[in-house]
Amino acid sequence: MKIGARNVLRGKVKQLRHGVVNMEVIIEMPNGNEIVSMITRKSAEKLGLAVGKEVYAVIKASNVMIALE
Amino acid sequence: MKIGARNVLRGKVKQLRHGVVNMEVIIEMPNGNEIVSMITRKSAEKLGLAVGKEVYAVIKASNVMIALE
Amino acid sequence: MKIGARNVLRGKVKQLRHGVVNMEVIIEMPNGNEIVSMITRKSAEKLGLAVGKEVYAVIKASNVMIALE
Amino acid sequence: MKIGARNVLRGKVKQLRHGVVNMEVIIEMPNGNEIVSMITRKSAEKLGLAVGKEVYAVIKASNVMIALE
Amino acid sequence: MKIGARNVLRGKVKQLRHGVVNMEVIIEMPNGNEIVSMITRKSAEKLGLAVGKEVYAVIKASNVMIALE
Amino acid sequence: MKIGARNVLRGKVKQLRHGVVNMEVIIEMPNGNEIVSMITRKSAEKLGLAVGKEVYAVIKASNVMIALE
């Protein structure tokens, strides 16, 4: 599948925090920055997420805000 | 102001594409990756966005999806 | 790419409405229902969208609200 | 109340999965497709959600991404 | 229709800014605060929006971030 | 930090409801209206949220829908 979302960032799963129906996924990018994602547990199971697994963080452009220092 | 959003990524404005009421902002991160944001033109004006300006891309964790290769 | 989003609905592009930086995409599902999507023009170009093309509408579960009659 | 959201899809609640503060709602549409929604438990209670209840899935167009096979 | 979204704020349309496919809607609440919404033009037409019209701003709880001074 | 989001509403934390990985935050605005936010627990901890604390609800314009009575 080819996704149209403008932001697709590669990284590895660093940590998984299990909620009852949701899952917090911490992704480490090659430069050491982290991206945090909150998805359903079912989605995490469907993807077979585990620490160390290579994943992409996918973000629609309309969900990116901008801030200044 | 201190924002609670879990994802705050630093970069520089690389390109601005003006719509009538919206603005597409392309941000280049230090590692060369790009983040694309769609915001209102008024927001871009409020922030004084211009090519080369240092900005942060701010993304709520619940807006980050995960994909596999 | 395999996307974790829980909602992936198949259809065909019925209409494209061009904004300056955004694009409204109307998708017709096999049962005749329509799904409307607003994406960046660049995303539409990246996907080569055109009327009649088979596409998927992808929606994160946290972006689905519920209403009653 | 008349909602402006462009996507309003009719279906029946097929399953409810209770988290502590959130609730996953699986909706079955007449054609057999499923839509998954994550809402607050309080919202589910306010709506009186139960298996079999007729509901609408409501999705803002800017939250619909597009993908190709 | 009864919407499950947790945030439903009443106000009046103060200004409409027309894009090609989108519309920026500025809503004034009774206390003088403003809420800004970006919707599709088609949605604005479907609702018959005009300056002075009484409307509700509807926001899903998962789209509300928190910040400190 | 200066955030570009168009909607920044001031209030006080009225109630916190702890999930396992998420937190529901109920904010009371000066006029008595409430805003409900769902954020990660980690975000709430980072901000040091507690009942009575002064906070801002931050909402991107593209996440505000409009409805009529």
Side-chain angles (χ1 to χ4, degrees):
Chain A
M1 189 172 279
K2 182 183 180 184
I3 184 84
R6 297 288 297 280
N7 299 294
V8 180
L9 301 167
R10 191 182 197 156
K12 280 190 184 178
V13 176
K14 185 182 177 183
Q15 194 183 353
L16 295 171
R17 302 168 69 91
H18 298 65
V20 181
V21 290
N22 283 303
M23 172 94 78
E24 185 178 308
V25 185
I26 300 178
I27 300 164
E28 188 173 39
M29 293 192 291
N31 64 355
N33 280 170
E34 291 180 3
I35 295 278
V36 182
S37 163
M38 183 66 70
I39 60 175
T40 63
R41 276 189 72 151
K42 282 284 177 193
S43 172
E45 289 166 13
K46 188 171 90 167
L47 294 171
L49 294 191
V51 172
K53 187 158 187 149
E54 292 214 345
V55 296
Y56 293 90
V58 177
I59 306 153
K60 197 172 185 295
S62 56
N63 284 323
V64 179
M65 279 159 295
I66 296 185
L68 303 181
E69 186 82 53
Chain B
M1 187 171 278
K2 182 181 177 186
I3 183 85
R6 297 290 296 280
N7 299 294
V8 180
L9 301 167
R10 190 181 197 159
K12 280 189 184 179
V13 176
K14 185 182 176 182
Q15 195 183 353
L16 294 171
R17 303 168 68 91
H18 299 64
V20 181
V21 290
N22 283 303
M23 171 94 78
E24 185 178 307
V25 185
I26 300 178
I27 300 164
E28 189 174 37
M29 293 191 291
N31 65 355
N33 279 170
E34 291 181 3
I35 296 278
V36 183
S37 164
M38 184 65 72
I39 60 174
T40 63
R41 277 190 71 150
K42 283 282 177 193
S43 172
E45 289 165 13
K46 187 171 91 168
L47 294 171
L49 294 190
V51 172
K53 186 159 187 144
E54 291 214 346
V55 295
Y56 292 90
V58 176
I59 305 151
K60 198 171 184 295
S62 56
N63 283 323
V64 179
M65 278 159 295
I66 296 185
L68 303 180
E69 185 82 54
Chain C
M1 189 172 279
K2 181 181 179 185
I3 184 85
R6 297 289 296 279
N7 298 295
V8 180
L9 302 168
R10 191 182 196 158
K12 281 189 183 179
V13 176
K14 186 182 176 183
Q15 194 183 354
L16 294 170
R17 302 169 70 91
H18 299 64
V20 181
V21 290
N22 282 303
M23 171 93 79
E24 185 177 307
V25 184
I26 300 177
I27 300 164
E28 188 174 38
M29 293 192 292
N31 64 355
N33 280 170
E34 292 181 4
I35 295 277
V36 183
S37 164
M38 184 66 70
I39 59 174
T40 63
R41 278 190 70 150
K42 282 284 178 193
S43 172
E45 289 165 13
K46 188 171 90 168
L47 294 171
L49 294 191
V51 172
K53 186 158 187 146
E54 291 214 346
V55 295
Y56 293 90
V58 176
I59 305 152
K60 198 171 184 295
S62 56
N63 284 324
V64 179
M65 279 158 295
I66 296 186
L68 303 181
E69 185 81 54
Chain D
M1 188 172 277
K2 182 181 178 186
I3 184 85
R6 297 289 297 280
N7 298 295
V8 180
L9 301 167
R10 191 182 198 159
K12 281 189 183 179
V13 176
K14 186 182 176 182
Q15 195 183 353
L16 294 171
R17 303 169 69 91
H18 299 65
V20 181
V21 290
N22 283 303
M23 172 93 79
E24 185 177 308
V25 184
I26 300 177
I27 300 164
E28 189 174 37
M29 294 191 291
N31 65 356
N33 280 170
E34 291 180 5
I35 295 277
V36 182
S37 164
M38 184 65 70
I39 59 174
T40 64
R41 277 190 70 149
K42 283 283 177 194
S43 171
E45 289 165 15
K46 188 171 90 168
L47 294 171
L49 295 190
V51 172
K53 187 161 187 142
E54 292 214 346
V55 295
Y56 293 91
V58 176
I59 305 152
K60 197 170 185 296
S62 56
N63 284 323
V64 179
M65 279 159 296
I66 297 185
L68 303 181
E69 186 81 56
Chain E
M1 189 172 278
K2 183 182 177 185
I3 184 85
R6 297 289 296 281
N7 299 294
V8 180
L9 301 167
R10 192 182 197 159
K12 279 189 183 178
V13 176
K14 185 181 176 182
Q15 194 182 353
L16 294 171
R17 303 169 69 90
H18 298 65
V20 181
V21 290
N22 283 303
M23 171 95 77
E24 185 178 306
V25 185
I26 300 178
I27 301 163
E28 189 174 38
M29 294 191 291
N31 64 355
N33 279 171
E34 292 180 3
I35 295 277
V36 182
S37 164
M38 183 66 71
I39 59 174
T40 64
R41 276 190 70 148
K42 282 283 177 194
S43 171
E45 289 166 13
K46 189 171 88 166
L47 294 171
L49 294 191
V51 172
K53 187 161 186 141
E54 291 214 345
V55 295
Y56 292 91
V58 176
I59 305 153
K60 198 171 184 297
S62 56
N63 284 324
V64 179
M65 279 159 296
I66 296 186
L68 303 181
E69 186 82 54
Chain F
M1 188 172 278
K2 183 182 177 185
I3 184 86
R6 296 291 295 282
N7 299 294
V8 180
L9 302 167
R10 190 182 197 158
K12 280 189 183 177
V13 176
K14 185 182 176 182
Q15 194 183 354
L16 294 171
R17 303 169 69 90
H18 298 66
V20 181
V21 291
N22 283 303
M23 171 94 78
E24 185 178 308
V25 185
I26 301 179
I27 300 164
E28 189 174 37
M29 294 192 291
N31 65 355
N33 279 172
E34 291 180 3
I35 296 277
V36 183
S37 163
M38 184 65 72
I39 60 174
T40 64
R41 276 190 72 149
K42 282 283 178 193
S43 172
E45 289 165 14
K46 188 172 90 167
L47 293 171
L49 294 190
V51 172
K53 187 160 187 144
E54 291 213 346
V55 295
Y56 292 91
V58 177
I59 305 152
K60 199 171 183 296
S62 55
N63 284 324
V64 179
M65 278 158 296
I66 296 185
L68 304 181
E69 186 82 53

